[in-house]
Amino acid sequence: MLDRYYITVFNHYKKTLGKRSLAIALVYINFLEVSFVLALATFFMAFAKQMKMDLMSATKFWVLMVLILLFIIAKNWMRYNGKKRIILNAKLKRTDISIYLLWLLPVGCFLIAFILLRV
């Protein structure tokens, strides 16, 4: 699923920006994965708070989120550079997904995460 989003963003910006589309697509996929992880983590944190479970402090939560963020960035940097990107571009069929919808997806996840942080 994420590979398809990466290739769609890459191909959309490749027409106008050339090589800079690699960086934009990588930033997009990092932004998307981090927003998913943050939304899930805040959901579980809010759930644990409602169930009166004291799992971890807020400081430990944010330290863990930063470590996960660094892991996601490193994983995507290694995954989407080089041969893997070329193979994905050749294998995946081109789909007409709106670029605006693709950029609204991580923004929506961040909004859900911030709402859950307020609970």
Side-chain angles (χ1 to χ4, degrees):
M1 179 176 94
L2 294 176
D3 293 339
R4 178 165 291 154
Y5 293 160
Y6 174 81
I7 292 298
T8 303
V9 170
F10 172 70
N11 286 333
H12 177 77
Y13 288 112
K14 185 178 178 182
K15 298 171 192 170
T16 57
L17 299 176
K19 281 197 169 243
R20 293 181 66 203
S21 63
L22 291 170
I24 292 172
L26 191 60
V27 165
Y28 170 77
I29 201 69
N30 287 333
F31 190 54
L32 181 65
E33 280 193 57
V34 167
S35 68
F36 282 157
V37 168
L38 185 64
L40 279 173
T42 54
F43 169 75
F44 288 127
M45 190 170 142
F47 178 75
K49 188 186 283 185
Q50 291 291 325
M51 297 298 288
K52 307 277 193 263
M53 296 168 45
D54 190 23
L55 293 177
M56 70 173 53
S57 67
T59 306
K60 288 181 184 178
F61 172 76
W62 289 112
V63 169
L64 182 63
M65 286 305 298
V66 168
L67 291 174
I68 291 172
L69 169 80
L70 293 174
F71 173 75
I72 288 172
I73 290 171
K75 175 188 68 94
N76 286 335
W77 177 68
M78 288 186 292
R79 183 174 187 188
Y80 292 115
N81 279 336
K83 193 180 275 189
K84 176 78 173 183
R85 180 181 38 84
I86 295 169
I87 291 171
L88 283 175
N89 204 9
K91 278 186 176 181
L92 292 177
K93 297 178 183 175
R94 297 194 188 257
T95 57
D96 293 332
I97 301 173
S98 171
I99 197 73
Y100 300 114
L101 180 63
L102 287 176
W103 281 104
L104 282 176
L105 189 61
V107 170
C109 286
F110 272 119
L111 287 174
I112 290 171
F114 289 132
I115 290 169
L116 288 172
L117 277 174
R118 298 292 177 212
V119 171

